[in-house]
Amino acid sequence: MTIPRPEYPRPQLRRERWENLNGVWSFAFDDKDAGLAERWYQRTVDDLDDGPFTQRITVPFAFQSEQSGIGDTGRHDVVWYARTFTDPRTDGDERLLLHFGAVDYEATVWVDGQRVADHVGGHTPFTADVTDALGAADQHVVVVRAFDPLDDLTIPRGKQFWQPKSENIFYTPTTGIWQTVWLEPVPIARLHAWELTPNLPSAEVEITLHLDPTAVGATARVVVRHDDVTLVDDRVRVTEPTLTRRFSVAPPRGRHTGAVADWQNVATWSPEHPRLHDLEVSLEHEDGRIGDRVAGYFGMRSIETRDGRVLLNGRPYYQRLVLDQGYFPGGLLTAPSDDDLRRDIELAKELGFNGARKHQKVEDPRWLYWADRLGFLVWDEMPSAYAFSAAMAQRVADEWQQVIARDRNHPCVVTWVPVNESWGVPRLASDPRHRDLVQALYHLTRSLDPTRPVVSNDGWEQAATDLLTIHDYGDADTVRGHYEDLASTLRAQPAGRPLYTVGHAHRGEPVLVTEFGGIALVGAGDTWGYHTVDSTDALLERYRELIAAVTASEVVQGFCYTQLTDVEQEANGLLTFDRRPKVDPASARAATTT
């Protein structure tokens, strides 16, 4: 059988040796939640398929999806997975890491009957060092239990609906493993993570390495290249587990990169010119051995706000974004192939968009990789919970920090969005706890990454925020009137909600219309949209009118159109769910870019 999603899943920290565990696993529903008491995790190679594990599932697809081979959309809050693997290590001094891209929502992992990992959060990766759990046999067994209670609205779930059937803006849920699972043999002394922070005015990049304590005493070598030219080749002795260095990435004298002159001829990243710098970090030991070797990349770009505008690389930049829900036919949250992730970006660019607001989903890192490579701006958004509580606040804050840690090194990511439309915090006007959470998430995000704008509550009822983002599903004339001048904009309440919550007001931040449009082409079946038209010609004309209404404003500094594709019953896309254009792409592009 061909392994699904065979590409290396973590493009920012690549090692040469790894083993993909995607494919067919043994599987079981545990509707009575009996598996822990009955010790389903104590599986051996000989009895793996006995007892409860009677089904087969194709990982990394959720059981609700067709690609999983099951396609059961009924409620099953507890599910179990199991499979065998062979230890890929060739050196007895190596450790073996087991990686999960994402498991929704709570995951517990056993290897050869020993508990090796617990993780909470349905959208973020986790890793277990399973070396000490490996038994003496040649074959080993990994067992995973996933718990995802459908009716717990304090869990961040985004667009995954909690009712038996999808409706309007909510879709089929995802339970369990939905991103790649893989093994990675690594040296004991190794790199755990890095943080890559470009500083365009100084033509430097700051690189922070988080190393295993056993790496102290080794030499860290950092090599940076662009267009096969070595810009940095630095060696430094490791004296503590965290090592920070700053390097100039200005090209050698006399070599021109094609970049603008006021950035010291540095090769900058932008949607028009997505230039990337290749990075390699290795550990060299006193006896001459080369230990861990990790490859990645970064982009030299800046994003900031000033005088009511958004500046990319120091220049005003108009963002023409599209709302992207990240659902795929057959795979739901999981793209059937890496080509599907790339193609979505290519299709959006063909329609004239220079970026996307990835809506209510923490997307597969491979999508971010293609956004980096192809030149596509990304707004990174936390999936919402829908019921406020202390537990909900903790869950959102914990997982949001994991999202930022995972995605902060991607140059395509230009904005953080921790909250959308007051979801999960519906009483901002009357309950100070709701306001405190929104405010806390804004400041938490700024403390973790001060290099990007943060939107405190996309759509309305903003607290402290770096951008005033407004959702406005009016017709073209209404939209045009809302943004004739700044005073008209600040008076407008397109959704019947104030633009700022109690105690906050406009402080000069740039204005963007980050949801509008939502035009559905009426067809067969039960479809939903904010507005409907009955022909492709009417859809294109309505689209032209709405884009023209927004771009005519001198106040608005960018937009995000709803939306790229249809998703299940929601038919607001410029493309169908299977990615067929509803209107001529060239005509749509002309309207988008006018």
Side-chain angles (χ1 to χ4, degrees):
M1 175 184 174
T2 302
I3 295 176
R5 298 301 305 272
E7 64 283 343
Y8 190 84
R10 190 185 56 200
Q12 270 287 1
L13 270 168
R14 302 190 311 276
R15 292 186 174 95
E16 289 185 1
R17 295 173 56 212
W18 70 292
E19 183 174 320
N20 196 326
L21 294 186
N22 291 345
V24 176
W25 290 49
S26 299
F27 181 78
F29 294 125
D30 186 7
D31 294 341
K32 296 181 179 179
D33 197 11
L36 289 173
E38 296 175 3
R39 299 185 178 184
W40 291 6
Y41 50 85
Q42 291 186 338
R43 298 288 100 184
T44 68
V45 174
D46 295 331
D47 68 2
L48 182 62
D49 296 329
D50 296 338
F53 291 93
T54 59
Q55 298 191 71
R56 300 293 178 268
I57 189 169
T58 300
V59 168
F61 301 100
F63 72 78
Q64 294 96 334
S65 71
E66 296 174 2
Q67 289 280 339
S68 72
I70 296 177
D72 183 342
T73 58
R75 177 173 178 172
H76 303 285
D77 289 354
V78 183
V79 297
W80 291 72
Y81 303 76
R83 68 158 287 167
T84 61
F85 67 90
T86 302
D87 185 351
R89 293 178 299 163
T90 57
D91 185 336
D93 291 332
E94 290 181 316
R95 309 294 292 180
L96 183 61
L97 305 182
L98 174 61
H99 300 282
F100 292 83
V103 181
D104 201 353
Y105 173 67
E106 297 180 11
T108 307
V109 183
W110 295 263
V111 169
D112 289 348
Q114 294 192 44
R115 193 166 180 162
V116 296
D118 295 275
H119 182 261
V120 176
H123 310 90
T124 48
F126 63 98
T127 297
D129 184 337
V130 303
T131 312
D132 297 335
L134 298 176
D138 293 334
Q139 290 281 310
H140 307 280
V141 177
V142 55
V143 176
V144 180
R145 176 185 185 268
F147 175 51
D148 187 20
L150 189 66
D151 56 3
D152 187 346
L153 300 189
T154 68
I155 289 176
R157 64 177 64 249
K159 289 301 191 79
Q160 301 181 56
F161 202 29
W162 49 92
Q163 297 294 332
K165 184 180 179 182
S166 301
E167 61 182 65
N168 55 62
I169 64 171
F170 293 101
Y171 320 128
T172 303
T174 287
T175 297
I177 297 171
W178 67 276
Q179 289 187 26
T180 292
V181 184
W182 80 102
L183 293 169
E184 194 169 44
V186 296
I188 296 173
R190 62 187 182 275
L191 177 69
H192 290 296
W194 58 27
E195 295 163 7
L196 314 174
T197 307
N199 188 312
L200 205 50
S202 67
E204 292 179 317
V205 61
E206 181 180 278
I207 299 177
T208 297
L209 306 179
H210 298 284
L211 301 158
D212 195 86
T214 58
V216 172
T219 296
R221 183 183 182 188
V222 177
V223 178
V224 176
R225 296 184 179 91
H226 177 70
D227 278 351
D228 297 324
V229 175
T230 299
L231 303 177
V232 175
D233 191 344
D234 178 78
R235 287 177 169 86
V236 60
R237 186 174 178 82
V238 178
T239 58
E240 56 186 29
T242 299
L243 174 65
T244 298
R245 303 278 283 171
R246 293 174 68 95
F247 304 104
S248 171
V249 292
R253 183 171 297 180
R255 180 176 176 84
H256 187 63
T257 65
V260 293
D262 53 343
W263 293 128
Q264 303 181 48
N265 201 25
V266 170
T268 54
W269 184 95
S270 69
E272 293 73 27
H273 302 288
R275 306 179 183 95
L276 295 172
H277 291 70
D278 296 318
L279 171 65
E280 184 178 279
V281 174
S282 57
L283 291 175
E284 302 174 352
H285 298 279
E286 291 182 350
D287 59 5
R289 290 181 300 111
I290 302 298
D292 200 15
R293 190 189 304 270
V294 181
Y297 62 89
F298 61 90
M300 291 297 293
R301 68 108 187 87
S302 64
I303 185 77
E304 60 184 313
T305 63
R306 190 189 312 155
D307 301 327
R309 292 185 174 185
V310 179
L311 307 183
L312 179 68
N313 299 337
R315 288 176 167 75
Y317 194 90
Y318 197 92
Q319 297 183 65
R320 302 173 187 270
L321 311 177
V322 65
L323 199 72
D324 182 355
Q325 310 275 5
Y327 272 72
F328 297 88
L332 301 177
L333 288 181
T334 309
S337 73
D338 194 47
D339 287 342
D340 290 314
L341 294 170
R342 175 175 182 158
R343 185 57 179 153
D344 272 6
I345 294 172
E346 292 173 336
L347 288 167
K349 289 174 73 74
E350 288 173 13
L351 294 168
F353 299 105
N354 56 25
R357 179 171 156 237
K358 182 60 72 166
H359 190 38
Q360 290 295 291
K361 182 187 180 186
V362 181
E363 188 55 278
D364 189 317
R366 294 290 307 183
W367 184 83
L368 295 175
Y369 166 81
W370 287 118
D372 291 336
R373 289 286 173 190
L374 298 174
F376 198 62
L377 302 176
V378 174
W379 286 31
D380 212 324
E381 181 176 323
M382 180 65 198
S384 295
Y386 294 92
F388 183 87
S389 70
M392 169 269 199
Q394 187 70 59
R395 286 168 166 170
V396 170
D398 287 349
E399 192 167 0
W400 182 234
Q401 291 176 79
Q402 297 174 44
V403 173
I404 294 170
R406 195 200 74 167
D407 293 350
R408 72 181 307 278
N409 294 323
H410 288 277
C412 65
V413 176
V414 294
T415 302
W416 300 115
V417 184
V419 181
N420 174 72
E421 288 188 350
S422 307
W423 290 351
V425 284
R427 298 189 300 277
L428 286 168
S430 59
D431 192 331
R433 297 176 304 161
H434 292 216
R435 295 195 297 273
D436 287 345
L437 178 56
V438 171
Q439 187 80 337
L441 288 170
Y442 168 82
H443 288 295
L444 173 64
T445 308
R446 293 287 303 174
S447 72
L448 295 172
D449 179 18
T451 70
R452 293 174 172 90
V454 180
V455 176
S456 64
N457 183 16
D458 199 73
W460 49 69
E461 294 184 309
Q462 302 270 4
T465 188
D466 299 323
L467 302 171
L468 172 54
T469 56
I470 304 171
H471 297 177
D472 190 341
Y473 284 102
D475 60 24
D477 289 340
T478 301
V479 168
R480 191 183 301 273
H482 285 163
Y483 308 102
E484 286 181 340
D485 52 42
L486 183 58
S488 299
T489 300
L490 296 179
R491 285 195 303 268
Q493 294 189 14
R497 304 279 193 98
L499 300 183
Y500 291 89
T501 192
V502 176
H504 296 274
H506 190 244
R507 302 173 300 167
E509 50 267 13
V511 175
L512 292 89
V513 180
T514 50
E515 284 190 30
F516 75 113
I519 308 166
L521 181 61
V522 176
D526 182 16
T527 58
W528 181 90
Y530 291 94
H531 306 280
T532 58
V533 293
D534 57 9
S535 70
T536 56
D537 288 343
L539 173 58
L540 180 59
E541 183 58 29
R542 187 79 64 88
Y543 179 70
R544 285 177 175 141
E545 292 171 353
L546 283 165
I547 296 293
V550 171
T551 56
S553 170
E554 295 185 1
V555 175
V556 175
Q557 301 301 305
F559 63 75
C560 180
Y561 179 80
T562 304
Q563 60 190 16
L564 181 61
T565 76
D566 294 348
V567 182
E568 298 182 344
Q569 72 285 336
E570 185 176 356
N572 292 322
L574 292 171
L575 310 172
T576 63
F577 196 20
D578 58 0
R579 277 48 176 180
R580 289 178 290 110
K582 297 181 184 179
V583 298
D584 174 54
S587 299
R589 179 183 181 85
T592 305
T593 57
T594 298

